[in-house]
């Protein structure tokens, strides 16, 4: 089971205007705004991968062939904010909504994001279960931790200043050491 990102929501943790100030660009230097706007989501994705945290709210869909046997399903979505809907999908793709009450977010959505399933769920039979959740900082979720915002700023600044300096091997540019350290300090651990 892999959560599928259905929709991005909210805004990026840093704006182009904020990054222009951080990069010390004068107000008449707007030629680089498009580049900064492209660097923001790329750097966010890199910091998210390192920290194993979502820095922007999004909606995800999970499809299950069976209800979890122990009533618990860990998800790689930190922070996990809410269950938006749950339902059964038959062989023709028709969705029958069920009350999301028996499906809820676990007690620690930041360090141990998981879904809890109550015993009163309808049997699946030949149907699949569909659960949609919201996850990520900002919006309805918690604010982005300041160390991760700073890691994002440092990454954007490094990529902005060193564009074209990477080897031509096509590999993604790593986080600068300072940003990697900040992201690692906030990293969600896996057992």
């Amino acid at each position: 089971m892999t959560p599928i990102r259905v929709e991005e929501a909210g805004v990026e943790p840093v704006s182009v205007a904020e990054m222009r100030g951080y990069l010390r660009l004068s107000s008449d230097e707007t030629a680089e705004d498009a580049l900064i706007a492209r660097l923001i989501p790329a750097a966010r994705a890199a910091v998210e991968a390192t920290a194993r945290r979502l820095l922007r709210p999004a909606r995800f869909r999970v499809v299950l062939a069976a209800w979890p046997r122990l009533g618990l399903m860990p998800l790689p979505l930190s922070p996990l904010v809410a269950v938006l809907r749950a339902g059964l999908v038959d062989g023709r793709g028709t969705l029958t909504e069920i009350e999301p009450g028996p499906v809820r977010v676990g007690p620690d959505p930041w360090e141990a994001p998981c879904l809890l399933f109550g015993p009163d769920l309808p049997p699946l039979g030949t149907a699949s279960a569909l659960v949609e959740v919201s996850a990520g900082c900002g919006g309805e979720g918690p604010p982005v931790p300041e160390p991760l915002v700073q890691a994002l700023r440092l990454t954007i600044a490094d990529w902005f200043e060193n564009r074209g300096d990477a080897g031509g091997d096509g590999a993604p540019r790593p986080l600068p050491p300072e940003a990697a350290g900040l992201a690692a300090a906030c990293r969600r651990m896996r057992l």
Side-chain angles (χ1 to χ4, degrees):
M1 172 289 316
T2 301
I4 301 165
R5 189 182 304 254
V6 177
E7 174 185 37
E8 293 280 347
V11 297
E12 293 288 352
V14 296
S15 66
V16 171
E18 179 182 351
M19 283 311 303
R20 287 175 52 72
Y22 191 81
L23 294 168
R24 297 183 181 152
L25 298 175
S26 66
S27 59
D28 61 336
E29 294 179 86
T30 59
E32 304 288 6
D33 287 0
L35 172 63
I36 295 168
R38 288 190 305 276
L39 288 174
I40 290 171
R44 175 183 45 83
V47 172
E48 285 177 340
T50 301
R52 297 183 186 143
R53 309 261 186 216
L54 297 168
L55 305 184
R56 181 178 178 188
R59 186 169 51 104
F60 292 85
R61 185 172 292 156
V62 178
V63 178
L64 305 169
W67 297 116
R69 288 186 320 151
L70 300 176
L72 173 85
M73 184 177 63
L75 289 175
L77 305 172
S78 175
L80 187 58
V81 177
V83 174
L84 301 175
R85 72 178 182 159
L88 304 179
V89 181
D90 64 20
R92 291 173 286 170
T94 305
L95 175 69
T96 304
E97 299 259 351
I98 61 173
E99 282 297 317
V103 181
R104 61 192 186 287
V105 173
D108 187 354
W110 186 258
E111 292 300 334
C114 66
L115 291 176
L116 301 175
F117 295 85
D120 52 343
L121 289 164
L124 290 180
T126 60
S128 297
L130 178 135
V131 180
E132 284 192 4
V133 298
S134 64
C137 295
E140 301 288 319
V144 180
E146 188 54 39
L148 293 178
V149 174
Q150 185 60 16
L152 183 56
R153 288 185 200 115
L154 289 168
T155 302
I156 295 166
D158 181 71
W159 292 358
F160 180 85
E161 293 298 327
N162 297 300
R163 57 196 144 162
D165 292 346
D169 61 359
R173 195 167 167 80
L175 296 180
E178 302 84 5
L182 288 168
C186 296
R187 186 180 182 113
R188 186 176 68 84
M189 301 307 292
R190 291 183 185 165
L191 296 177

